[in-house]
Amino acid sequence: MSEIPSELMYTKSHEWVRLESDGTATIGITDHAQELLGDLVFVELPEVGSDLAAGDACCVVESVKAASDVYMPITGEIIEVNDMLVDEPETINDSAFDDGWLFRVQPSSEVEFDDLLDADTYEAEIAD
Amino acid sequence: MSQKTVLYDKHVEYGGKMVDFAGWQMPVNYGSQMEEHHQVRQDAGMFDVSHMTIVDLKGERVREFLRYLLANDVNKLKEPGKALYSCMLREDGGVIDDLIVYYMNDGWYRMVVNAGTHDKDMAWINKQAPAFGVEVDERASVAMIAVQGPKAIEKAIQVLPLDVVEAVTDMRRFFGVDCGEWFVGRTGYTGEDGFEIMLPESEAPALWDKLAHAGVKPCGLGARDTLRLEAGMNLYGSDMTEETSPLVSGLGWTIAWEPQDRDFIGRAAIEQEREQGVKQKIVGLILEERGVLRGHQKVVVENIGEGEITSGTFSPTLKQSIALARVPAETGDTCQVDIRGKLLNARVVKPVFVRDGQAV
């Protein structure tokens, strides 16, 4: 059973979002997503400074098995990316919700947070 | 409706993540594809390959039949047990399947063909066989376990029945031996030494447990694919199909052109292709930048033309991405691959990357 921290928000496409105290949002893929993908070997991160809309494909994570797009859960500007993943993409397998974060966003509107799923809803979503 | 091999319950018990493969419920991995890959390169792993099709061909004219059916020549097989890799072609030279055939005796050959091509293979073989009076016997109730890796044989003989151990002792590579209800080939699809063990279905789950107890770890289809690709072995349906001839699929070496008077199915078509000049070839690619090569990505060869990746992956042994690609025959040492709109540099190499645990 994969881990689903209750303090985070989620998307149906298996991204997680953590709202930080400074109003920015940290984004990654869920433990369930990394389990589905298997051993990660490559991450293509978005460019810092790019403005992206919710739903945009912004990042690619590839396992030995397959490539998968990561979608922007919310609209905003990319303000930081987790460069460590370039050399150590397997960090996502080991720590999807923590060291394996992908990028940070300055949200353009807070309204969209209402569209995200809470932990219970996401858990129901991925249940067989 | 997916079929299950007799080892299905074992896969579930050992934590296998089951997926549909060619109409069979098979384990893609038991946790980590990467660990299973290294296990086979460095120690010993086992694969359930019971979904593959085993066909016994018997009759007085069975050799003559196979010399007509296959592009390689079973006349090369002089010693009982010796195995041969061959393509089975259509009249137009397209590849129906690739297979292994073992010479058992003058009236009996055993063939192993792919699971995904079962129906069309059996239809084709059954269509050709009557003219030669050959009896086609599909051995559906036989299970098959491939035990592969540098320590595979050492570990397997600890748990095989004594008569089987005696039969396989000193058996050379690419031979097989019939041990009554069991059959063991020193063959595989990983680039490592090992056995492919055929045995009655009823005995397979117990052997699986014994092998696991001896330190042979269960491995899934995921690792099987990265291992075969590192070894430069073709995968039917990806690297060759009915639409491609063996000459543009890196399989020219499997065609026995001599003797010239041997008539085999597809001969006229591929002879004509050879005379007109073969336009493409299969090469190995090593990506020189970060990224992962995948099947169907476009290959760009400057000033020459374009090609396509037929199989690509991340190589756990080389820690770089590798691929097999069909490219123009004139392709030299370098090319570029279009990955999501970006052209990345790749080195063109012979299509074999790893053998017996070592980078080639």
Side-chain angles (χ1 to χ4, degrees):
Chain A
M1 192 60 214
S2 40
E3 195 189 338
I4 306 175
S6 58
E7 69 276 18
L8 304 181
M9 292 171 285
Y10 301 88
T11 65
K12 286 187 179 179
S13 49
H14 311 297
E15 290 86 11
W16 57 261
V17 180
R18 187 172 61 227
L19 193 56
E20 308 291 354
S21 53
D22 61 0
T24 64
T26 304
I27 288 156
I29 63 167
T30 65
D31 194 40
H32 177 69
Q34 71 77 21
E35 261 180 29
L36 288 179
L37 282 162
D39 303 291
L40 287 162
V41 293
F42 176 70
V43 178
E44 191 175 281
L45 294 162
E47 271 179 47
V48 172
S50 45
D51 286 304
L52 295 162
D56 284 355
C58 59
C59 176
V60 178
V61 289
E62 297 204 37
S63 66
V64 185
K65 205 160 66 183
S68 182
D69 284 318
V70 176
Y71 299 95
M72 282 292 275
I74 51 173
T75 300
E77 181 192 346
I78 306 288
I79 53 170
E80 190 184 355
V81 298
N82 187 0
D83 283 322
M84 185 192 76
L85 297 178
V86 172
D87 286 322
E88 294 168 26
E90 67 276 14
T91 307
I92 297 172
N93 294 118
D94 301 337
S95 175
F97 294 113
D98 202 357
D99 295 340
W101 64 279
L102 291 170
F103 52 88
R104 258 182 349 118
V105 171
Q106 181 66 57
S108 62
S109 142
E110 279 183 35
V111 180
E112 284 171 342
F113 288 113
D114 297 340
D115 298 336
L116 299 172
L117 312 176
D118 63 23
D120 289 343
T121 314
Y122 179 67
E123 185 172 359
E125 189 69 35
I126 63 172
D128 283 339
Chain B
M1 184 64 197
S2 268
Q3 302 182 76
K4 293 174 181 174
T5 74
V6 70
L7 290 166
Y8 178 87
D9 290 344
K10 285 291 157 200
H11 300 321
V12 173
E13 180 187 331
Y14 284 78
K17 200 179 287 176
M18 307 307 288
V19 298
D20 181 86
F21 175 80
W24 291 83
Q25 282 291 306
M26 300 300 288
V28 64
N29 64 57
Y30 298 81
S32 167
Q33 173 175 345
M34 198 83 95
E35 281 170 25
E36 290 162 22
H37 181 105
H38 293 312
Q39 175 73 21
V40 172
R41 284 277 177 258
Q42 294 159 14
D43 192 338
M46 62 179 158
F47 303 84
D48 177 16
V49 285
S50 305
H51 58 311
M52 295 188 78
T53 308
I54 302 163
V55 191
D56 280 339
L57 302 163
K58 291 181 178 171
E60 274 181 27
R61 295 172 64 198
V62 62
R63 175 181 302 214
E64 189 189 342
F65 168 63
L66 286 168
R67 294 190 77 208
Y68 173 68
L69 184 75
L70 305 179
N72 210 338
D73 188 354
V74 295
N75 250 13
K76 291 177 183 172
L77 304 175
K78 304 292 186 199
E79 294 175 73
K82 180 76 175 144
L84 184 74
Y85 175 70
S86 181
C87 288
M88 185 161 73
L89 305 180
R90 302 198 308 197
E91 287 289 356
D92 68 359
V95 182
I96 296 171
D97 202 6
D98 66 333
L99 54 90
I100 295 278
V101 58
Y102 296 90
Y103 166 49
M104 307 306 297
N105 61 46
D106 286 340
W108 174 24
Y109 288 77
R110 171 165 282 189
M111 229 156 75
V112 181
V113 304
N114 283 305
T117 49
H118 169 273
D119 294 355
K120 67 170 187 169
D121 287 353
M122 292 313 297
W124 184 255
I125 295 164
N126 279 310
K127 186 179 156 191
Q128 313 297 338
F132 296 84
V134 167
E135 175 199 333
V136 180
D137 178 16
E138 185 184 342
R139 306 295 309 272
S141 59
V142 174
M144 179 151 59
I145 299 172
V147 185
Q148 304 274 294
K151 294 188 181 160
I153 291 180
E154 167 193 327
K155 290 186 171 177
I157 57 174
Q158 293 170 19
V159 301
L160 289 172
L162 285 179
D163 58 325
V164 176
V165 171
E166 199 170 310
V168 299
T169 301
D170 301 326
M171 181 166 66
R172 284 164 289 160
R173 283 199 186 195
F174 229 61
F175 272 82
V177 64
D178 180 36
C179 329
E181 289 197 280
W182 291 45
F183 176 94
V184 179
R186 193 167 167 191
T187 47
Y189 193 48
T190 61
E192 298 297 326
D193 203 353
F195 288 148
E196 289 182 300
I197 303 163
M198 302 176 201
L199 71 167
E201 282 191 323
S202 58
E203 299 180 59
L207 179 65
W208 190 266
D209 283 339
K210 283 184 196 165
L211 285 165
H213 195 68
V216 182
K217 296 214 172 116
C219 300
L221 292 177
R224 190 164 162 80
D225 191 53
T226 49
L227 288 159
R228 71 93 193 166
L229 188 44
E230 284 187 351
M233 293 171 168
N234 284 31
L235 172 64
Y236 188 81
S238 296
D239 305 311
M240 69 289 203
T241 67
E242 293 202 358
E243 309 309 317
T244 58
S245 87
L247 301 180
V248 297
S249 307
L251 295 169
W253 64 275
T254 69
I255 298 163
W257 300 100
E258 301 292 336
Q260 284 181 19
D261 61 358
R262 180 176 70 99
D263 176 34
F264 62 85
I265 302 172
R267 175 162 198 142
I270 57 173
E271 252 176 10
Q272 192 182 8
E273 183 186 1
R274 188 172 63 154
E275 277 159 25
Q276 288 171 350
V278 181
K279 307 233 173 358
Q280 294 167 308
K281 62 180 178 182
I282 291 273
V283 294
L285 301 185
I286 298 179
L287 187 65
E288 295 193 306
E289 303 177 49
R290 289 183 198 277
V292 185
L293 302 171
R294 306 278 183 194
H296 305 298
Q297 284 168 349
K298 187 168 76 177
V299 178
V300 178
V301 189
E302 208 180 354
N303 298 325
I304 292 176
E306 290 181 354
E308 188 177 280
I309 289 182
T310 54
S311 295
T313 191
F314 179 83
S315 160
T317 304
L318 303 184
K319 307 214 181 318
Q320 268 180 301
S321 185
I322 60 170
L324 297 179
R326 183 174 286 114
V327 296
E330 306 80 18
T331 302
D333 297 338
T334 60
C335 68
Q336 292 182 303
V337 181
D338 185 335
I339 301 183
R340 291 183 287 273
K342 282 184 209 158
L343 287 177
L344 303 185
N345 293 315
R347 197 146 45 90
V348 178
V349 299
K350 280 191 189 152
V352 52
F353 305 93
V354 178
R355 270 290 152 92
D356 292 326
Q358 302 298 314
V360 177

